[in-house]
Amino acid sequence: MQVKLQRKIRQGAIRPESTIDLHGYRQNEAIAMLEEFIADALQRRYRMILIVHGQGYRSPGEAVLKPLVQNWLEQQAEVLAWCPAQIRDGAAGASYVYLRV
């Protein structure tokens, strides 16, 4: 991926075409929702999406969804890049995801 494109993604210069909010979902539900969301985004040929997973402040102990989502994204061939969102889109509680279409 080009450095210029990576910079635009981190800066939030490329606006998400679709968003999913996973707050309140259990781990298995969140992954199922995420799989469906990504499949739909790919079908619609979206490049940039936003996943809101939260920062884990309400979780007893450590965050649950944030590391789960990040680990899942790393394993997906359709995901070219992802990074924390800008403040306006949820900061560390959300991730920009750039897809291969």
Side-chain angles (χ1 to χ4, degrees):
M1 181 175 289
Q2 298 173 348
V3 174
K4 188 175 180 179
L5 180 58
Q6 290 175 343
R7 187 178 317 117
K8 283 183 177 183
I9 293 169
R10 283 193 308 272
Q11 293 172 345
I14 303 172
R15 298 301 302 147
E17 298 170 275
S18 189
T19 302
I20 187 170
D21 188 345
L22 299 176
H23 279 109
Y25 287 101
R26 297 188 180 278
Q27 292 181 43
N28 59 340
E29 296 169 332
I31 292 299
M33 294 292 294
L34 199 50
E35 288 172 345
E36 185 177 320
F37 177 68
I38 297 285
D40 182 61
L42 290 169
Q43 182 179 8
R44 294 174 187 260
R45 303 192 60 78
Y46 291 160
R47 283 281 190 165
M48 178 66 71
I49 57 173
L50 178 68
I51 300 172
V52 180
H53 42 65
Q55 295 184 40
Y57 292 142
R58 295 185 191 154
S59 298
E62 296 181 9
V64 176
L65 287 182
K66 182 177 179 178
L68 177 75
V69 168
Q70 291 173 344
N71 184 43
W72 187 85
L73 289 172
E74 289 175 0
Q75 298 173 26
Q76 305 308 305
E78 302 87 7
V79 174
L80 289 176
W82 61 270
C83 65
Q86 292 290 307
I87 292 173
R88 68 174 178 256
D89 290 323
S95 297
Y96 294 130
V97 180
Y98 195 74
L99 300 173
R100 178 188 325 260
V101 292

